[in-house]
């Protein structure tokens, strides 16, 4: 079994009074890893107040087998710095980047050699298959929905991954008490995908079939959140919230 450190890089600017939300993508990936017997820890530099040096200290202390990062475009420079710091500590640790920037700009994500793989799409199943590859089973070409550098240094993009059709099969995002105290709102994903192609929206670059969680599954998660951590603002991080008017 592998030990995976999942990192939200330090913020590019100070958050002056804005909402501090969960890194929901990392939380979903962590829950999938744990459900399959792997170890997973989330280091959210935003709520932990962690610097690049602090992240390096955690890598040295915890000794992960793999480091996964999430980043939007504005966070990508800091994600690259985290990746370079990991490689300076142990060049053998694979560094994976997911999130919006990796989906829309995989070649740009791989411009820095410290990043080994960009996940181009949903990451819950891709990370499991990557761990199998790094454990000696198969090759990166076998993993759908990723990009990496080939032997000639050019980007290799594998076949597209089929998006998760049944969202209820995903375990609830992993949350811990320390982080939840710092977030100003709860983040829940009730559906994934958007059928529209609006030119002003990033979702149009990742055109996906809309998939729904059942109302019962969503309510179970919300009930668990409110029961365990108390009531806060609830943010539904759906690509389009009103697609099903029922």
């Amino acid at each position: 079994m592998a030990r995976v450190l999942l990192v939200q890089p330090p913020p590019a600017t100070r958050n002056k009074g804005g909402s501090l939300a969960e890194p929901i993508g990392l939380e979903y990936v962590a829950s999938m890893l744990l459900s399959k017997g792997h170890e997973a820890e989330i280091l959210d530099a935003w709520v932990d107040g962690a610097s690049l040096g602090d992240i390096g200290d955690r890598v040295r202390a915890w000794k992960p087998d793999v480091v996964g990062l999430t980043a939007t475009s504005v966070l990508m420079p800091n994600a690259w710095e985290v990746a370079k710091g990991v490689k300076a500590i142990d060049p053998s640790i694979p560094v994976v980047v997911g999130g919006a920037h990796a989906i829309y700009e995989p070649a740009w994500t791989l411009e820095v050699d410290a990043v080994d793989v960009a996940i181009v799409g949903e990451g819950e199943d891709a990370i499991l298959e990557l761990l199998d590859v790094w454990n000696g089973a198969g090759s990166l070409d076998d993993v759908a929905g990723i990009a990496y550098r080939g032997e000639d240094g050019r980007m290799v993009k594998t076949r597209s991954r089929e998006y998760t059709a049944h969202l209820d099969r995903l375990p609830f995002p992993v949350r811990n008490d320390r982080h939840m105290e710092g977030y100003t709102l709860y983040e829940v994903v009730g559906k994934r995908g958007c059928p529209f192609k609006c030119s002003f929206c990033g979702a149009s670059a990742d055109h996906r079939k809309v998939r729904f969680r059942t109302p019962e599954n969503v309510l179970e998660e919300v009930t668990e959140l409110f029961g365990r951590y108390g009531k806060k603002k609830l943010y539904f991080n759906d690509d389009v919230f009103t697609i099903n008017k029922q």
Side-chain angles (χ1 to χ4, degrees):
M1 293 294 103
R3 174 175 281 194
V4 183
L5 180 63
L6 301 169
V7 181
Q8 166 111 299
T13 59
R14 289 186 177 274
N15 189 317
K16 297 181 179 179
S19 295
L20 191 59
E22 306 168 57
I24 196 72
L26 292 186
E27 292 175 341
Y28 266 112
V29 168
S31 70
M32 182 62 82
L33 288 167
L34 292 170
S35 74
K36 300 300 181 181
H38 299 288
E39 293 183 67
E41 177 179 301
I42 296 175
L43 196 168
D44 184 349
W46 292 50
V47 73
D48 288 330
S51 64
L52 293 172
D54 295 330
I55 297 170
D57 290 342
R58 189 57 188 150
V59 172
R60 293 185 188 91
W62 205 56
K63 302 184 186 306
D65 299 303
V66 175
V67 172
L69 307 172
T70 186
T72 57
S73 294
V74 73
L75 277 181
M76 201 59 223
N78 284 354
W80 281 326
E81 291 304 313
V82 173
K84 288 188 283 188
V86 170
K87 293 295 188 180
I89 294 167
D90 185 346
S92 70
I93 298 176
V95 176
V96 186
V97 176
H101 191 83
I103 291 171
Y104 305 132
E105 295 287 352
W108 189 3
T109 302
L110 294 167
E111 279 189 356
V112 172
D113 289 344
V115 176
D116 297 297
V117 173
I119 294 181
V120 188
E122 295 172 352
E124 293 93 352
D125 294 315
I127 190 65
L128 296 176
E129 294 177 22
L130 285 170
L131 293 180
D132 287 340
V133 169
W134 288 320
N135 198 36
S139 69
L140 291 176
D141 282 332
D142 299 323
V143 182
I146 65 168
Y148 65 95
R149 278 183 303 279
E151 293 182 1
D152 60 0
R154 296 182 179 180
M155 181 184 76
V156 176
K157 191 173 180 181
T158 64
R159 68 190 187 281
S160 298
R161 174 173 293 278
E162 291 293 326
Y163 285 105
T164 299
H166 303 290
L167 298 183
D168 282 7
R169 79 170 180 86
L170 299 175
F172 292 162
V174 167
R175 296 169 168 113
N176 66 59
D177 295 345
R178 185 185 77 256
H179 286 164
M180 295 305 290
E181 288 181 2
Y183 297 133
T184 56
L185 51 80
Y186 301 138
E187 193 162 342
V188 173
V189 177
K191 66 186 75 67
R192 296 183 182 183
C194 177
F196 305 115
K197 296 183 179 180
C198 304
S199 61
F200 58 82
C201 179
S204 63
D206 184 34
H207 190 62
R208 294 175 291 169
K209 179 181 178 181
V210 179
R211 294 142 297 139
F212 299 88
R213 293 169 63 187
T214 60
E216 293 81 7
N217 187 254
V218 174
L219 183 59
E220 183 181 349
E221 182 182 353
V222 172
T223 301
E224 179 182 296
L225 275 170
F226 284 0
R228 183 173 178 182
Y229 300 112
K231 293 181 179 179
K232 289 185 181 179
K233 290 185 289 185
L234 185 63
Y235 168 50
F236 281 92
N237 190 5
D238 298 354
D239 290 316
V240 53
F241 182 70
T242 58
I243 194 67
N244 186 345
K245 294 182 180 181
Q246 294 181 347

